[in-house]
Amino acid sequence: MNGHPTREEDFDLYALGVMEGEERQAVEEHLAECADCSRKLEEARGRIALLAFAVPQVAPNPRLKERLMAHVGGMAPRFEPQQQLPPAIPEKISIFASRWWAAILSPLVFGLATATVVLWVDNEDLQKQVRSLRASVQEQQNELAAARGVINAAAEVDTLAVNLAPPPNVSGRGVVRYNERHGMVLLNALLAPLPAEKTYQLWLVPVQGNPISLGIFTPEDNNGSAYMVSSVPAGVRAKAFAITVEASGGVPQPTGPKVLIGPVS
Amino acid sequence: MEPGPNADLRVSDRVLVERVVARDEAALAAIYDRYSVMLHSMVMRVLRDTQAAEEILQDIFFQLWNNAVKFDPERGSLPGWLLVSARNRAISRLRRFHRVGMEELEENMVVVPFNVESTLSQEQMVRKVKGAIDALSEVQKEAVQLAYFEGLTHTEIAERTGEPLGTVKTRLRSAIESLRKTFRP
């Protein structure tokens, strides 16, 4: 392609990442030398980026923000108040006058400096409190958003409730709410606690092909209750759901013992 | 759907980015509040793995903290930049590609045709995009989803769906034509 792409959709298809081989190379060579087309590509990237809004909006775990801010806080240079220096005394002033003014001004300067430091510390404390309160409100609203998403999906008429049952001699129970149209899976389970080096992993067993990992989780409290929201890839139909015990961090394909399993009826 | 609350809608993305450049942690937290739900939802859809999605989100915001000075809010959109970066990373991880970092994005600006800074505008965008996707035929919808959420090329989509390559190309092109009409500002 020596000239401009002949059709406007070419920019979107390139941004989507479906072009390949000579077709892709020709677009890239042209973009390198055409500012107009580069601008059109920037707009196409924006349109394609909006496809992200096609999925149910699920808030991340509030602990993620805490971890991020703790990580960032550990690296940010801290603002330190500058040391208050006494004012310089003009050289031409007489010794008598300088001593006289120094006697008056020194306590005043010291007082002002002290007040400045106290106010600065108070201000820092107040700002910390405001940040903490905002973080707290945000966490609560994130949790509310996640809960609303779950309720909305669970209330859909085509959402299936798949009961998960343990094999003999294993305790635990669970329910997966599965909406194929939305590609959403909601898990509620009661399971035994695990040692630190182990994790539970939820699997979707498709009608065809290998099991697909829907994520890892650990019970959130001493009662063993666990909760997880996950997504299912487009075009995949579930035959069953299963939970296995795997090494911490999870595995690409199940290797550990099944603790819960349930067929999609 | 209720995206993360916006800490202060009177503060634009441009100002927040400037404050992040000045190492203001509260500004980074505000950007996180604004866009983490949107990013998390998309990355979860690509990877279907909570831990991996959280790693990518943390990485994205940490990179923003360290590279905000390289972002030009006059030229591009912050949510667009974050979305493209997050999708690149998620697809790279899904397909075991090389890691695509912020270095590439510095030169790859993204212009989003709508403002999605507020909770309300994000809710409207969800309805708009879902409406646009629902208006596509089932086969068009499948092709778009395989491309966007799984990072498949024309040929790979043809292999996955068992359709001729030409059919897939025509299908995607017509789907894009339809989406372009919806995304016209």
Side-chain angles (χ1 to χ4, degrees), chain A residues 10 12 20 47 58 148 216, chain B residues 2 41 51 155 173 180:
Chain A
D10 286 341
D12 299 70
E20 54 203 330
R47 283 191 292 274
V58 180
R148 280 186 180 167
I216 59 174
Chain B
E2 184 163 332
S41 306
Q51 187 177 351
T155 304
R173 187 174 286 279
R180 279 176 63 95

Side-chain angles (χ1 to χ4, degrees), chain B residues 35-49:
Chain B
Y35 299 122
S36 61
V37 175
M38 163 190 94
L39 295 170
H40 178 257
S41 306
M42 184 268 289
V43 174
M44 271 297 290
R45 172 63 182 79
V46 172
L47 292 172
R48 308 179 301 278
D49 182 327

